[in-house]
Amino acid sequence: YNSAMSLKIALINMPFGFHIYPSIQLGTLSTLLKTHGCEVKSHYLNLHFAHQLGLPIYNQLCEKRFLIGEWLFSHPLFGNNARNQDYMDHFAPHIEDVCRSIERPKEYLLDVKTKMVPEFLQWSRDACDWGAFDIVGFSSTFNQNVASLTLAKLIKEKYPHVKILFGGSNFESDMGLEYFRVFPWIDYVVPGEAEGILPQLVKYLEQGGPVPQGVVHRCDGEVLYDEPEAMFGNFQDYAAPDYDDFFDQLREIDPQSSLLENPVILYETARGCWWGEKHHCTFCGLNASTMKFRAKSIKQVHTDLAQLSKKYDSFRFRLVDNILEMKYIDGVFGELAENNYDLHFFIEVKSNLTKKQIKTLAQGGAKVIQPGIESFSLNQLQEMDKGVRPMQNILCMKWAMYYGIEINWNILIGFPGETDDDYRQQIDLIKLLFHLPPPECVGNLWLERFSPYFRRPEEYGIKITAPGEAYPYVYDHPDIDHLKISYDFEFETNNHIDPQLKRELFKTAEEWKQRHQSEQLPFLIFTKSMDFVTVYDDRSLESIKTRLEGPHAWAFIFCNEAPKSLEHIREHLREKIGQEPEDGLTENTIAFLEEKGFLYGERGKYLNLALPHNSNL
């Protein structure tokens, strides 16, 4: 590229983008464009709106379902239409839930939609001289789409010469093409990864020539798009994301903001999913066209983390990768542990980690992990193609808890092919796990765009019946094809699960959560002496103390760190006794420990469910 690019570019982050940390999309593009000599400024307009609403309310609204954030911003574009006005009635139970959590009446939400939002959008249009920029770019992810579309329209009306650009996950594939077709004030869309394409687009806008591949554009009223040839992979060409504007603007709005103290810094170590390349989890719609796994070098990760920590005076990081590159466990976290650094991380991992790997992550600063535990039903996990079994999920939870890592996870239900039996097994099993961290909730599976369920529904016995329920109510416009813009879909399967079992699963999970918030914290721990082991069990509401000796104690300890097969256990007892164990001894020992709920058996392997009291393992 010639480095003489001199275009001025504004990047905008609209509500309801999270206010608690800067946008990695804007941070990454800012570094990218500055590397190519552009003048770039990021505008975190979401911070202004968050402070106007009040941060707790804004935070709640970011997380709520049925596109409520999109609906609140839909008044200027779609507010006079019948279905848009009917949204509150149609989603009445949801609205009540939202009002409860923000402690405001329904009138408040209407007020936000019809008065505060239009005023905020006018203010956003006039608060800055957008005409001084050549390009205004919007990154749209989750519930910041309608806000971005509307402000783009206002800017285009006031400054027709400014080029309006869109990207982000709401603009992947069909979604981006449809928004582009319907909203003529958008000039260009980059519907996938922007790093390889944006510099060429900027160069084209400066010097002319053919529109680069990978950019959606118009020619004589026709929408044109050529897929880019290659995926982006040259991470090493670019420094860490640039978050300066976020912190400057936060300081301007609220110099005393607690978000300035040890702020959360987003960082990406890898892109795509190494599991998904081989086995795309059937319900996952994350990597649209970008499944191929590409990771930064360990050296670059260390350099970037050091630089970001120093520049923004922070120890807290959130890795945005969909899945952790396994070599980082020793290469990054092992190294951090060895140097006794105090960085803290949130990471997403696959749950099939060993005790040793979990220990390394914990000592290297992993404070919160999201291990993609979605079920404790063997059949459902196979249906998802997760490549893990309940056993691995339990092992992951046990050792994460032991090493003080917080775990975020949910139980998902509603898979095609699930049976009453799956529910029964899962309910019985989770009662044995009450001493481990409870799920955040039990929820129905979402059918997401780009997932195998979406791409090949008939193969899984799924019938897609409609776009996600909220789309027609929010984007109430006769010319929009809701099936093209939806990220989630309504669907049917031919499952008929006994409603009683569903209720029991919800109730059991709820009880699990309640117990962990109560005075009577459930526990299952053991202490070990030379000749015996004591197990303290408070999973059900009565405390039981059990003393194990001989083969019971030996088998129990032997299965503590990792699952062991029947053969392995027999071999271990033989060593302990000094001769061949009598017939049936091994089986009887296992049966006794299983009956107590101390051992969990699956496919001929057994794992000790109890946590060691000893803190030196």
Side-chain angles (χ1 to χ4, degrees):
Y1 303 111
N2 73 353
S3 55
M5 289 192 196
S6 54
L7 293 188
K8 289 184 69 174
I9 300 173
L11 300 173
I12 300 185
N13 199 39
M14 287 299 276
F16 275 85
F18 292 112
H19 71 286
I20 38 186
Y21 33 69
S23 153
I24 189 155
Q25 292 88 342
L26 267 57
T28 303
L29 295 180
S30 175
T31 294
L32 171 88
L33 291 164
K34 284 178 177 176
T35 305
H36 287 279
C38 299
E39 196 180 315
V40 185
K41 181 153 166 93
S42 299
H43 300 263
Y44 284 89
L45 302 181
N46 61 321
L47 286 176
H48 293 270
F49 193 67
H51 282 83
Q52 200 180 334
L53 279 189
L55 302 186
I57 290 182
Y58 183 87
N59 201 34
Q60 285 286 338
L61 291 172
C62 284
E63 297 279 12
K64 294 291 180 193
R65 288 193 50 192
F66 297 114
L67 304 180
I68 182 136
E70 301 289 32
W71 178 72
L72 288 170
F73 266 87
S74 65
H75 209 71
L77 285 182
F78 312 116
N80 296 328
N81 301 348
R83 271 204 286 194
N84 189 284
Q85 290 186 13
D86 193 29
Y87 177 94
M88 273 188 135
D89 289 339
H90 184 84
F91 293 104
H94 178 60
I95 293 289
E96 278 164 35
D97 167 61
V98 170
C99 290
R100 254 197 317 277
S101 62
I102 63 173
E103 299 174 350
R104 294 286 185 281
K106 286 202 310 208
E107 293 68 34
Y108 172 81
L109 289 177
L110 270 176
D111 205 47
V112 170
K113 180 179 194 264
T114 56
K115 297 199 181 70
M116 281 176 70
V117 159
E119 280 168 19
F120 168 73
L121 287 164
Q122 300 291 332
W123 173 84
S124 300
R125 180 195 62 189
D126 301 333
C128 175
D129 174 13
W130 302 111
F133 294 96
D134 302 289
I135 298 170
V136 173
F138 291 86
S139 171
S140 172
T141 304
F142 298 130
N143 288 312
Q144 52 183 176
N145 204 41
V146 179
S148 302
L149 289 168
T150 312
L151 180 59
K153 178 175 193 258
L154 296 174
I155 290 174
K156 193 70 173 174
E157 284 166 357
K158 191 170 174 182
Y159 307 105
H161 69 278
V162 172
K163 294 290 180 236
I164 301 285
L165 239 65
F166 267 80
S169 56
N170 287 326
F171 278 76
E172 289 264 9
S173 82
D174 286 353
M175 300 184 290
L177 290 164
E178 182 65 1
Y179 288 129
F180 182 78
R181 183 186 72 77
V182 177
F183 301 115
W185 54 86
I186 304 174
D187 293 296
Y188 301 99
V189 165
V190 179
E193 296 176 325
E195 284 101 332
I197 294 160
L198 206 51
Q200 299 178 43
L201 176 59
V202 171
K203 186 177 170 189
Y204 155 78
L205 289 174
E206 205 170 40
Q207 302 172 6
V211 179
Q213 276 185 321
V215 177
V216 182
H217 59 287
R218 284 182 194 86
C219 189
D220 302 328
E222 209 186 330
V223 175
L224 300 178
Y225 174 60
D226 287 323
E227 297 254 337
E229 283 185 358
M231 246 184 254
F232 178 73
N234 329 352
F235 290 123
Q236 66 288 345
D237 296 351
Y238 297 102
D242 161 25
Y243 296 133
D244 296 4
D245 293 329
F246 175 83
F247 291 109
D248 291 347
Q249 286 158 39
L250 183 55
R251 247 176 241 111
E252 258 165 60
I253 296 170
D254 178 8
Q256 303 308 308
S257 172
S258 62
L259 298 172
L260 292 165
E261 189 57 47
N262 206 7
V264 177
I265 305 294
L266 277 69
Y267 182 65
E268 175 185 56
T269 62
R271 198 173 284 182
C273 179
W274 50 259
W275 175 257
E277 279 186 272
K278 303 190 286 288
H279 298 266
H280 191 160
C281 297
T282 51
F283 63 95
C284 173
L286 286 169
N287 306 288
S289 50
T290 56
M291 186 66 84
K292 188 172 158 30
F293 189 67
R294 294 143 290 159
K296 294 179 181 171
S297 72
I298 287 175
K299 183 168 175 287
Q300 185 176 6
V301 174
H302 281 292
T303 308
D304 287 350
L305 290 175
Q307 188 198 337
L308 288 165
S309 177
K310 181 177 177 183
K311 187 175 184 185
Y312 299 118
D313 194 16
S314 179
F315 293 83
R316 292 162 68 199
F317 287 88
R318 187 181 177 98
L319 298 187
V320 300
D321 318 9
N322 297 150
I323 192 166
L324 186 71
E325 159 66 279
M326 288 316 236
K327 66 175 191 224
Y328 291 159
I329 294 180
D330 291 329
V332 175
F333 289 90
E335 173 90 1
L336 295 170
E338 225 161 89
N339 289 293
N340 297 318
Y341 292 132
D342 292 305
L343 303 188
H344 285 182
F345 292 89
F346 168 97
I347 53 174
E348 290 189 34
V349 294
K350 200 157 142 43
S351 67
N352 57 347
L353 299 166
T354 62
K355 169 179 175 283
K356 182 171 175 293
Q357 288 173 321
I358 293 168
K359 182 179 186 175
T360 304
L361 288 173
Q363 292 175 334
K367 281 289 173 257
V368 185
I369 61 173
Q370 199 167 306
I373 292 173
E374 272 104 13
S375 179
F376 283 102
S377 150
L378 190 57
N379 185 20
Q380 281 166 314
L381 287 166
Q382 282 170 327
E383 180 64 48
M384 299 176 198
D385 204 1
K386 288 286 292 189
V388 292
R389 297 189 296 284
M391 182 80 87
Q392 290 159 309
N393 285 344
I394 295 169
L395 182 95
C396 178
M397 284 170 77
K398 170 175 164 168
W399 291 112
M401 187 177 188
Y402 177 82
Y403 289 116
I405 302 178
E406 188 186 320
I407 294 196
N408 288 354
W409 70 283
N410 298 306
I411 293 176
L412 283 186
I413 57 172
F415 287 89
E418 61 184 21
T419 64
D420 283 359
D421 202 34
D422 296 338
Y423 279 74
R424 183 73 268 148
Q425 285 172 345
Q426 169 140 277
I427 292 162
D428 293 343
L429 174 54
I430 64 180
K431 286 179 178 162
L432 298 178
L433 306 178
F434 267 30
H435 59 297
L436 298 174
E440 288 175 45
C441 66
V442 176
N444 281 307
L445 151 82
W446 279 43
L447 198 140
E448 297 182 342
R449 184 182 287 279
F450 311 121
S451 68
Y453 282 164
F454 170 77
R455 295 200 159 125
R456 307 188 298 280
E458 53 295 330
E459 190 180 307
Y460 296 100
I462 286 175
K463 185 170 162 225
I464 294 178
T465 53
E469 195 183 350
Y471 283 90
Y473 288 87
V474 172
Y475 294 89
D476 186 1
H477 182 295
D479 194 32
I480 294 181
D481 181 341
H482 295 115
L483 279 169
K484 287 189 174 156
I485 62 165
S486 280
Y487 182 71
D488 61 289
F489 296 85
E490 303 301 307
F491 67 101
E492 288 166 4
T493 62
N494 34 22
N495 289 4
H496 301 289
I497 300 297
D498 176 358
Q500 190 59 38
L501 275 170
K502 273 195 187 177
R503 279 196 294 274
E504 193 181 340
L505 178 63
F506 277 97
K507 204 171 121 272
T508 310
E510 197 41 50
E511 189 189 334
W512 190 352
K513 274 176 76 166
Q514 295 302 332
R515 284 288 303 280
H516 278 259
Q517 289 157 5
S518 74
E519 298 293 295
Q520 262 198 300
L521 203 62
F523 55 80
L524 177 65
I525 48 179
F526 69 88
T527 50
K528 181 171 122 182
S529 180
M530 288 70 131
D531 297 321
F532 68 97
V533 170
T534 310
V535 186
Y536 303 86
D537 182 356
D538 187 30
R539 286 170 295 179
S540 68
L541 285 161
E542 46 179 333
S543 288
I544 305 165
K545 179 176 160 184
T546 309
R547 179 174 166 124
L548 303 175
E549 295 182 17
H552 289 157
W554 301 331
F556 178 87
I557 294 297
F558 185 60
C559 299
N560 179 41
E561 305 218 343
K564 298 289 197 287
S565 68
L566 186 66
E567 263 323 296
H568 273 127
I569 298 170
R570 183 175 290 125
E571 181 62 36
H572 181 67
L573 295 184
R574 182 186 299 127
E575 278 170 31
K576 284 293 204 185
I577 301 167
Q579 63 185 57
E580 198 59 45
E582 334 164 357
D583 264 0
L585 177 75
T586 313
E587 288 78 357
N588 292 342
T589 302
I590 290 170
F592 172 82
L593 294 170
E594 274 198 294
E595 197 233 335
K596 290 268 187 220
F598 297 164
L599 276 198
Y600 165 69
E602 176 187 287
R603 292 180 162 185
K605 288 198 162 172
Y606 300 89
L607 176 69
N608 177 346
L609 297 177
L611 282 124
H613 176 68
N614 189 309
S615 56
N616 306 318
L617 296 184

